[in-house]
């Protein structure tokens, strides 16, 4: 019991120290970078606002959400705080400016996060279609994966194609160098990551796991995650030369050996440092590698931080 108590005391000291490290870095270095003062007039249509004939796919800094469809997961006040990573519906996230969705499903086509489940995938599809029907030029990256420990939903590719076929941008590496205008009216890059089913091949309506990569760091220590994200990002090629999307997640994750295991208070340790991260990317010389930037509990400022850097790239300011 004594060793366990000592371990928890040490962990709390480490967390406090790492929070202070980020706070001090923010105070000393600031959050200014090319485009940091830009605010889109209409977040629902921010891609259109930048000019679809000027915005190349590989110049976009895509605001994304982690575990996007968990706003109603589990039982309220009982299991939900342990798995909820977003408070908004998928439709509300898209309206706010989110353009990358991270959806996990089980064998019954229900959205899940580990062992906890929520509504069916049809709710997600309905939200996406509603958003697309209300906009004309917004492009979405829709990542759908079979959750770890679950089987692939039967005939899932067929289902997705039936539901979204008219919007799907087929797998083609030339897409990365194209403008949004060149892709329209197609508007969804759907990355399907099954556990056992065959990977989608070139020419398919779906993209495979090799086209959306990341380096997941499972930690609740904010400065450790922040620095690891910078290190892994710096190891990538510039976004303009890659034939895949690379994601950085501005999140930290509750750990089972820590008393605080609810998502929100843990992820809040890093949540407010998205702009600092982008500014540090410029300081470290890897800003040209940043592409998908995702978060828990997305808000307007996170979206604006990504859109601002996109605008600066489009205008040739960086």
């Amino acid at each position: 019991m004594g060793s366990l108590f000592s371990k928890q005391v040490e962990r709390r000291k480490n967390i406090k120290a790492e929070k202070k490290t980020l706070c001090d870095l923010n105070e000393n270095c600031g959050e200014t970078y090319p485009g940091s003062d830009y605010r889109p007039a209409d977040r629902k249509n921010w891609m259109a606002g930048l000019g679809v004939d000027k915005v190349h796919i590989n110049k976009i800094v895509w605001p994304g959400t982690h575990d996007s469809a968990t706003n109603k997961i589990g039982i309220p006040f009982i299991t939900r705080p342990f798995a909820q990573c977003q408070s908004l519906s998928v439709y509300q996230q898209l309206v706010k400016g989110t353009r990358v969705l991270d959806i996990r499903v089980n064998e019954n086509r229900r959205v899940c996060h580990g062992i906890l489940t929520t509504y069916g995938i049809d709710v997600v599809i309905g939200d996406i279609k509603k958003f697309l029907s209300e906009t004309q030029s917004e492009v979405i990256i829709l990542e759908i994966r079979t959750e770890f420990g679950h089987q692939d939903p039967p005939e899932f590719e067929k289902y997705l194609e039936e539901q979204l076929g008219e919007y799907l941008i087929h797998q083609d590496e030339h897409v990365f160098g194209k403008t949004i205008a060149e892709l329209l009216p197609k508007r969804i890059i759907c990355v399907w990551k099954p556990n056992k089913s065959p990977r989608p091949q070139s020419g398919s309506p779906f993209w495979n796991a090799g086209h959306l990569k990341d380096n997941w760091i499972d930690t609740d220590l904010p400065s450790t995650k922040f620095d690891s994200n910078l290190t892994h990002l710096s190891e990538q090629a510039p976004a303009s030369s890659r034939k895949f999307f690379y994601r950085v997640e501005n999140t930290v994750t509750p750990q089972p050996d820590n008393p605080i295991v609810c998502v929100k208070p843990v992820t809040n340790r890093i949540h407010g440092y998205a702009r600092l991260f982008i500014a540090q990317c410029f300081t470290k010389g890897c800003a040209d590698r940043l592409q998908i930037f995702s978060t828990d509990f997305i808000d307007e400022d996170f979206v604006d931080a990504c859109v601002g850097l996109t605008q600066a790239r489009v205008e040739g300011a960086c």
Side-chain angles (χ1 to χ4, degrees), residues 216-286:
W216 173 249
I217 304 104
D218 187 14
T219 181
D220 62 354
L221 298 173
S223 183
T224 295
K225 182 64 174 285
F226 190 97
D227 291 342
S228 296
N229 280 342
L230 279 172
T231 297
H232 287 300
L233 182 63
S234 67
E235 294 167 351
Q236 306 303 313
S240 60
S241 64
R242 289 199 304 259
K243 300 302 181 183
F244 61 88
F245 296 100
Y246 184 78
R247 172 171 52 204
V248 173
E249 295 197 312
N250 190 58
T251 63
V252 285
T253 310
Q255 300 299 303
D257 63 347
N258 193 288
I260 303 177
V261 291
C262 296
V263 173
K264 194 158 194 177
V266 173
T267 202
N268 276 349
R269 297 169 188 166
I270 198 172
H271 186 269
Y273 295 110
R275 289 181 177 273
L276 174 65
F277 182 82
I278 297 175
Q280 284 297 296
C281 286
F282 279 93
T283 300
K284 303 295 185 182
C286 59

Side-chain angles (χ1 to χ4, degrees), residues 40-60:
D42 178 7
R43 293 186 185 90
K44 185 176 182 178
N45 292 282
W46 67 260
M47 289 181 166
L50 294 179
V52 295
D53 57 336
K54 298 192 299 181
V55 180
H56 289 79
I57 295 301
N58 59 16
K59 289 188 178 296
I60 298 170

